[in-house]
Each structure stands twice: as structure tokens, then as C-alpha cells.
Amino acid sequence: MEIHVKRSRQGKNSTLSVLYIDGEQVCYVLEDSVRDEKIKGSTAIPAGRYKLAFRRYGGMHARYHRLFPDFHKGMIQLMDVPNFSYIYIHMGNNFADTAGCLLVGKTKKYFKKMHEFEIRQSRKAYIPLYKRLAAMMEKGDVFVKIHELSSRRMNL
């Protein structure tokens, strides 16, 4: 099974995408900026295809397990991302919350003056997405395909 994250817009420090499962738009995704050279904690992961796996230890896992004890089975982690580690799908609103991870939200907002994107209603997007991905992962391998940002859509 494969889900798709299609990058659509680039802010000064943020990248906005849309996440699709079976062709259905599920939520928005926010990442750090796509950069030619990696800046630790401030760069989007390279476009590519990555296997999803549960990470069942660490501080973030413990925090989410306390938040969602009824269904949390581990952080959903993107595996084998070149030059990156501990890349998760999780809640957050702006580029300061991501450190290379994929944040999810129901709505998006653009701040023209700062040339930045944010996502909103992250918890409302995260819970159903997590449950859906966890169920898929229990049935077999699941991959996320991160699509390149189209050059014609780099900026607003």
C-alpha cells in the first residue's frame, strides 16, 4: 500500500503539501523548506518513497501514548530517509514544530506578510489518519511517496 504526499507550495521556511490515500485527499501536511543543502532541523526530507514503521520508544512515543492511550501503538516513522533520522508523522502547526517531520492538519493558512504557511486543526487530522495508517500497517507494508515540489508552484 502507498500513500502520497504531494508538495504544492513553498513559504520562506515552510512547505505545504496534501496527503492522499487511494486518491482521496485526507489532510494537509506541513514540512520545513525544501533546500538544496540540509540544515539540521530546518530542511524538508528528500522527495522519495519511504516505508512506514512504528517506533515504540523515546520521548515522543511516551508523550503520544499518554495523550492517546486507547489507540497509540507507536510513533509512525518514515524509515531510511537519507541523512535524516526519527522522521515522524505527528501534530503541529508551523515550521517551528516540525524539525524535519511531517505535520498534519485539516485546514491551512497563509501569512502573506511573513510568506509562511501554517496548518490548523492538527489533532482533528492526526487521530483519524493515525488510526487509518495503523490499521493499514497491521495488514502489511505501507509506504509514503513524497512528491517533488513543482517549480511552477514554488511561491505564491
Side-chain angles (χ1 to χ4, degrees):
M1 176 56 103
E2 188 170 83
I3 65 172
H4 294 266
V5 173
K6 296 184 179 180
R7 292 175 171 157
S8 59
R9 297 278 189 247
Q10 177 79 48
K12 184 178 176 185
N13 296 293
S14 57
T15 303
L16 182 70
S17 304
V18 179
L19 187 144
Y20 295 88
I21 300 176
D22 294 330
E24 170 196 353
Q25 181 176 329
V26 175
C27 62
Y28 291 102
V29 173
L30 191 81
E31 300 175 79
D32 287 312
S33 287
V34 174
R35 303 179 194 280
D36 292 333
E37 288 189 36
K38 181 181 176 186
I39 299 172
K40 185 176 178 164
S42 297
T43 304
I45 65 172
R49 186 173 186 256
Y50 306 103
K51 184 177 180 180
L52 299 180
F54 288 115
R55 180 176 162 93
R56 294 185 171 99
Y57 53 93
M60 188 168 258
H61 164 67
R63 190 166 51 254
Y64 275 64
H65 186 67
R66 283 191 303 275
L67 277 173
F68 308 115
D70 294 338
F71 63 84
H72 183 78
K73 299 172 190 223
M75 295 306 298
I76 296 177
Q77 180 176 350
L78 283 70
M79 304 303 294
D80 302 319
V81 178
N83 302 312
F84 288 77
S85 56
Y86 310 117
I87 304 300
Y88 304 121
I89 297 173
H90 65 88
M91 296 183 294
N93 299 111
N94 59 50
F95 70 89
D97 299 331
T98 173
C101 294
L102 307 181
L103 307 178
V104 297
K106 281 290 202 193
T107 61
K108 64 181 173 17
K109 179 139 177 94
Y110 177 66
F111 295 91
K112 189 174 185 176
K113 199 173 213 178
M114 298 182 304
H115 193 55
E116 290 298 352
F117 290 95
E118 282 190 4
I119 55 174
R120 305 283 173 85
Q121 298 180 310
S122 188
R123 187 180 186 113
K124 285 185 177 181
Y126 179 78
I127 292 170
L129 176 64
Y130 183 95
K131 290 178 178 179
R132 192 167 175 183
L133 291 176
M136 292 165 57
M137 291 164 67
E138 288 176 352
K139 292 179 183 174
D141 289 343
V142 178
F143 295 86
V144 60
K145 169 80 175 174
I146 309 285
H147 296 262
E148 289 282 353
L149 182 65
S150 171
S151 60
R152 65 182 170 80
R153 304 188 89 184
M154 286 293 280
N155 298 307
L156 289 178

